[in-house]
Structures are given as C-alpha cells and as structure tokens.
Amino acid sequence: MSAAKGPTKGSPRATRSKAKSRRAGDRAAIAQPMARVRRMETGKAQVPPTRKGSKSRDNLKAAALRALEDKGYRNLRLTDIAKEAKVNISLVYHYFHDKADLVYEALRDVVNVRAVIDSDDNRPHDPFMSLFYANKLFADFYHSRPGLIRSLVHFDEEHPQFHSLYSDINRNWCTRIAQTIQKRCPDADLTQPEAIALAYAMGSMVDKFLFELYVERNVDLATALPTTEHTTYFLTILWYRALYLKNPSTAELGPFKKLSKLKLTLS
C-alpha cells in the first residue's frame, strides 16, 4: 500500500490549500493590530490585585514619563524605563506588553487637564483669574517637560487609539470652555457649534504658542517672555480681550499694561 501523498502542484486541491493559507495569513495580519488596540485599551492586567502591584505599575509609569522627557518616544527602549525605575526588565514585562502599552498608560494619566482643574476645590471662578489659572497650568507643564510634550506629539501621530483618547479629552475640554463662553456672553447668542469653534481656536493658539516657546525654544519669544508668569499674563490678556472685548483691570494686566492700548488707529 503506497503512502499518502500531498496535493500535486497546480491541482485544484493545491489551489484551495493556497487560498486557505492566504486567508489565514490575512486574518492574522488583521488580528495582530486589533489585538494591540484591545491590549492598550484594557491593559495587560486590570487594577492590580495588591497594593504592591499598584505601586509597581505607578513606579513604572512615572519612570516612563521621565525617560520620555530625556530620550523621546522614538528613541526610547524598555530597558531605558527599567533603568530609570531601578528594576529588572522582567518586571516591566510582568505588567506591560511592550513599550507602546506602557507609554499609553503613562500618558493617559497626564493629558486630562480638565480632571486636574476639577479636582482643585480652590480654583478661581473670576473671569480673568480662571483663565489665568488654566493657562498657568499649561505654561508650567510645557516649560518643565518639553521633551515629554514632543514625545506626546509623536505617540499621538503613531498610535490611533491614543489619538482617539486625546481627541476626546480635547473635545470635552473645548465643550466645557464653550459652555462657559455662552454663559458669560449671553448677548452674543452663540450656538453651541459656534462657541465650540471659538474654544478650539483660542485653545489652539495657546497650544501652538507654548510649543513654539518651550519645545522649539524660539529665542524671540523667550526674550519677550522670560518666565511662565509672563507667558501666562500675556496669553490670558489676549484671551480676555478677544472674548470680552475689553481690557482686564490694571492689576490684572501685570507686566503687559501696553496691551491695554493695543487697538487699530486709522491714519
């Protein structure tokens, strides 16, 4: 009795086998990125079952943020994070699948400025000082962590799931600003989309300006604004004048009293 032979090359059976293999390969190619999305959304483990586990994860995320500041996302390796955290690389893999998984969780903890502001019961509600308060948070963050800001931009560009998360956070923040604008400027009779567009425009001005000043290290801007206090006054005055069509008080103008005279003079 002869041994069973495989399908002859070019036979219908061989063709079906090839097609089946291709389909399996296609499914695997699709499954891999989808699995990554699910892992990064859910994490390797949910809330660690022990206090020690939670502390270890928090330590690794804090180390990742420090390493991102120093190395940047694209040059970062898990060994850099392990070294920064003073742990063995095996512990990193115990809690996180890979670099992207760890960076996703670390950045997720620091990008929600609304949560930071809402958690502060002593935050001001005066129109000028509430703007000043939020702008100061942004200015201090950009100033103290320019490398992390650049890493965040790179990670956002390369990982759609983080981009979606970050976009939702930004949308929620702008929606909140829009509601405040509508409440404080009722005579403008702005629709919600109009108010949101205004909030996005003003917020983008702050983001781009701070990126140019602290991440790109624009010399001209640094000369004009030597401290984050100066930067905050400058941006807040522009916000206030644009929204309320009047100048802040003399005290609120701080070092930028000249801006109170900034108006078009037709010759």
Side-chain angles (χ1 to χ4, degrees):
M1 197 171 184
S2 61
K5 296 182 179 180
T8 305
K9 183 178 180 181
S11 68
R13 183 179 172 190
T15 302
R16 288 195 299 271
S17 179
K18 278 187 176 181
K20 185 175 181 181
S21 296
R22 282 198 299 270
R23 287 196 297 272
D26 291 342
R27 286 195 296 271
I30 294 171
Q32 288 175 4
M34 289 304 296
R36 175 183 288 272
V37 170
R38 287 193 293 271
R39 286 199 305 269
M40 293 180 70
E41 287 176 346
T42 61
K44 183 171 184 177
Q46 295 301 316
V47 179
T50 65
R51 182 177 298 179
K52 182 179 179 181
S54 296
K55 187 175 180 180
S56 294
R57 285 174 64 89
D58 289 343
N59 179 48
L60 289 170
K61 288 190 288 184
L65 295 177
R66 295 193 299 272
L68 285 168
E69 176 65 37
D70 182 50
K71 299 283 187 179
Y73 176 68
R74 289 169 179 164
N75 294 324
L76 184 67
R77 300 173 301 174
L78 280 178
T79 51
D80 298 321
I81 299 175
K83 183 178 179 181
E84 182 67 37
K86 296 180 173 59
V87 299
N88 190 283
I89 187 66
S90 62
L91 186 68
V92 182
Y93 282 112
H94 178 73
Y95 290 109
F96 300 97
H97 291 277
D98 51 27
K99 181 178 79 170
D101 184 26
L102 174 48
V103 170
Y104 178 90
E105 290 207 26
L107 289 178
R108 183 176 59 185
D109 290 347
V110 300
V111 295
N112 195 348
V113 67
R114 178 174 180 175
V116 174
I117 292 175
D118 286 345
S119 66
D120 185 358
D121 294 333
N122 296 317
R123 66 188 184 278
H125 297 283
D126 169 80
F128 183 87
M129 290 310 300
S130 62
L131 289 172
F132 188 94
Y133 175 87
N135 284 331
K136 188 66 163 62
L137 284 177
F138 281 108
D140 286 341
F141 189 73
Y142 273 75
H143 176 262
S144 63
R145 294 186 167 184
L148 181 59
I149 295 296
R150 192 181 293 278
S151 296
L152 193 156
V153 172
H154 290 165
F155 192 70
D156 181 74
E157 290 173 346
E158 297 178 16
H159 295 275
Q161 59 274 20
F162 181 79
H163 176 76
S164 178
L165 168 75
Y166 197 30
S167 294
D168 286 343
I169 289 172
N170 192 38
R171 186 181 301 111
N172 291 336
W173 171 247
C174 287
T175 299
R176 171 182 174 155
I177 296 298
Q179 292 169 346
T180 301
I181 292 172
Q182 288 179 297
K183 180 180 178 180
R184 290 180 172 168
C185 306
D187 292 343
D189 196 28
L190 294 175
T191 64
Q192 184 184 37
E194 289 170 337
I196 289 176
L198 183 56
Y200 266 101
M202 300 300 289
S204 297
M205 175 192 74
V206 171
D207 286 337
K208 172 60 178 173
F209 190 87
L210 293 176
F211 192 91
E212 184 68 26
L213 173 57
Y214 295 124
V215 182
E216 296 294 345
R217 302 183 187 279
N218 185 302
V219 175
D220 294 327
L221 297 182
T223 301
L225 305 167
T227 70
T228 56
E229 195 84 1
H230 285 83
T231 302
T232 306
Y233 270 112
F234 181 76
L235 291 173
T236 304
I237 292 166
L238 295 183
W239 261 85
Y240 191 91
R241 282 169 55 96
L243 288 177
Y244 303 124
L245 298 181
K246 65 177 184 178
N247 286 312
S249 68
T250 301
E252 290 168 338
L253 285 166
F256 294 100
K257 293 181 174 58
K258 290 181 180 179
L259 291 181
S260 66
K261 298 180 180 180
L262 188 64
K263 62 180 179 179
L264 181 64
T265 300
L266 297 177
S267 56

